[in-house]
Amino acid sequence: MKVLKVDHIGIAVKSIDEAAKLYHGLLGLADHGRETVEEQKVTTAFFPVGDTEVELLESTAPDGPVAKFIEKKGEGVHHIAFRVDNIEAALEELKAQGIQLIDQSPRKGAGGARIAFLHPKATGGVLVELCERP
Ligand code: CMX
């Protein structure tokens, strides 16, 4: 597997508008628009920072995974996403090593990415996303 870079760091927030006051107002970062990923009940806003991005995640529903995460742990870092050159090959490699996956095959992420989550039990409690972009 070839990890190319940290693609983004996902941060769970109650309100993107509120959180943007920090990322935009204080840090001077600009997001490139919002996108809702309906299947995951989440709206995202990406703020490019150098060679990577910060992704704010706001739940679209009280029973969505991001809302549940905030209920359990509060707002904060939700996942770290590594960009790989070939997500299928990466998943096969991890499966062969017996690493527990949440996604056995890629699903649709924001911005046309193909993504897959590894199980936090296999990654020291940190939710890790693999991500391939066209
Ligand atoms: N950090 C650490 N642990 C986490 C976690 C997180 N962010 N999210 C879930 N877990 C833990 C849970 O506590 C649970 O642990 P236990 O089994 O000990 O209770 C375990 O991981 C499994 O979690 P789950 O919610 O029961 O599992 P699901 O299969 O229902 O969902 C997940 C897993 C991570 C995909 C979902 O919770 C989630 O967060 N979905 C939103 C994904 C997202 O951010 N989408 C945006 C995509 C945009 C993009 O980045 O491109």
Side-chain angles (χ1 to χ4, degrees):
M1 160 176 24
K2 186 157 185 211
V3 173
L4 303 173
K5 59 186 268 193
V6 173
D7 187 86
H8 63 267
I9 295 164
I11 299 178
V13 299
K14 289 182 185 161
S15 157
I16 287 178
D17 285 338
E18 275 303 309
K21 289 179 188 162
L22 168 69
Y23 291 92
H24 178 62
L26 278 182
L27 299 176
L29 304 174
D31 70 82
H32 49 75
R34 314 247 163 126
E35 180 179 344
T36 295
V37 184
E38 241 359 297
E39 310 87 82
Q40 295 175 43
K41 296 186 179 171
V42 72
T43 296
T44 67
F46 281 88
F47 293 75
V49 189
D51 194 31
T52 190
E53 299 189 273
V54 169
E55 176 192 32
L56 299 183
L57 299 156
E58 177 184 326
S59 190
T60 59
D63 65 340
V66 168
K68 284 200 221 145
F69 173 87
I70 291 175
E71 213 175 276
K72 217 160 133 186
K73 299 191 178 172
E75 292 179 293
V77 174
H78 178 264
H79 67 263
I80 179 162
F82 294 104
R83 191 181 300 183
V84 293
D85 59 344
N86 181 333
I87 195 165
E88 272 91 4
L91 289 174
E92 286 314 313
E93 205 176 300
L94 293 169
K95 274 183 217 170
Q97 288 177 46
I99 301 292
Q100 195 180 347
L101 306 174
I102 287 177
D103 297 306
Q104 303 300 316
S105 53
R107 56 166 133 162
K108 176 182 166 290
R114 296 165 69 233
I115 66 171
F117 288 97
L118 315 190
H119 199 289
K121 276 193 184 111
T123 49
V126 175
L127 180 61
V128 170
E129 175 188 319
L130 300 182
C131 150
E132 182 189 320
R133 294 192 185 274

